[in-house]
Structure formats: structure tokens, C-alpha cells
Amino acid sequence: QVQLVESGGGLVQPGGSLRLSCTPSGSIFSVGARGWYRQAPGKQREQVAGMSSTGRTNYAESVKGRFTISRDNAKNTVTLQMNSLEPEDTAVYYCRYWGNGYDYWGQGTQVTVSS
């Protein structure tokens, strides 16, 4: 069973930065889309960043200019660089890999932005 493992979450002060990484535990097609989602308490899960197999990116309006998604196709990993973090960014962050015939989610990593 393939699993996605996130790392890099934690507690950071407002204005700080974190870098999330997502690594598959098994073999997943390198062709496909990648994305990062988050879910705050009492709110629905939302996509914050996505990247197509061709490298096209999209971002939620609330994170544009602050977050950057990237992927390493050779290692089949995806990262989310988060800068200028705000308390409103506090949530559990999930990575997702999906494509033709597959759709995998990570278990989530907590990001807390607080002074």
C-alpha cells in the first residue's frame, strides 16, 4: 500500500517560514498532478497549491505570493515553501498525488502560526 508522508510542519511565529515536504513510501507514477491542501478546525478542506504534470501551478488567493509549490520528478517528491506565515494559515496540511487511475493523500502535518 502506497503512502504519502509529509514532514516539515510545526510551530512558527507570524511572519516566519516553513517548508513542507511530501515523499511517497512506495512506487507512484511520476506523471500526474500534485497538490497541497489544508483543513483548519471547523472548516472544510481547501486546496492551497497545485501543480499539473506539465508544471503549471495554481494557488489559493489567500496564499498567492507567499507560498510556492515545487516538485522533483526524479525523486517524485513535492514541497511547499511557506513564507510570511499568518495565524490564519494554521491548519493541518495534506499532500495529494493524483492521476490516471490513482489518487493518494498523506496523513497530514500540523502547522501552527502563533506568537
Side-chain angles (χ1 to χ4, degrees):
Q1 180 74 15
V2 175
Q3 292 183 327
L4 299 180
V5 180
E6 299 107 336
S7 60
L11 173 64
V12 63
Q13 292 186 340
S17 298
L18 283 175
R19 184 179 180 87
L20 305 182
S21 296
C22 182
T23 303
S25 64
S27 178
I28 299 179
F29 289 119
S30 60
V31 176
R34 307 290 184 254
W36 286 95
Y37 295 70
R38 68 185 180 188
Q39 187 166 20
K43 295 187 177 181
Q44 289 188 332
R45 188 174 298 188
E46 62 172 347
Q47 186 184 51
V48 295
M51 179 178 281
S52 72
S53 57
T54 60
R56 184 173 180 176
T57 59
N58 63 279
Y59 296 93
E61 285 296 324
S62 60
V63 307
K64 279 184 179 178
R66 300 189 296 121
F67 290 11
T68 303
I69 186 172
S70 60
R71 64 192 288 174
D72 183 330
N73 288 328
K75 298 180 179 179
N76 209 2
T77 58
V78 62
T79 61
L80 184 69
Q81 178 66 43
M82 306 186 293
N83 299 328
S84 302
L85 283 161
E86 304 168 353
E88 293 74 22
D89 296 317
T90 295
V92 177
Y93 284 71
Y94 302 87
C95 63
R96 179 189 180 199
Y97 287 30
W98 73 100
N100 188 16
Y102 71 95
D103 190 346
Y104 297 109
W105 289 83
Q107 81 289 349
T109 185
Q110 177 69 45
V111 171
T112 303
V113 185
S114 175
S115 56

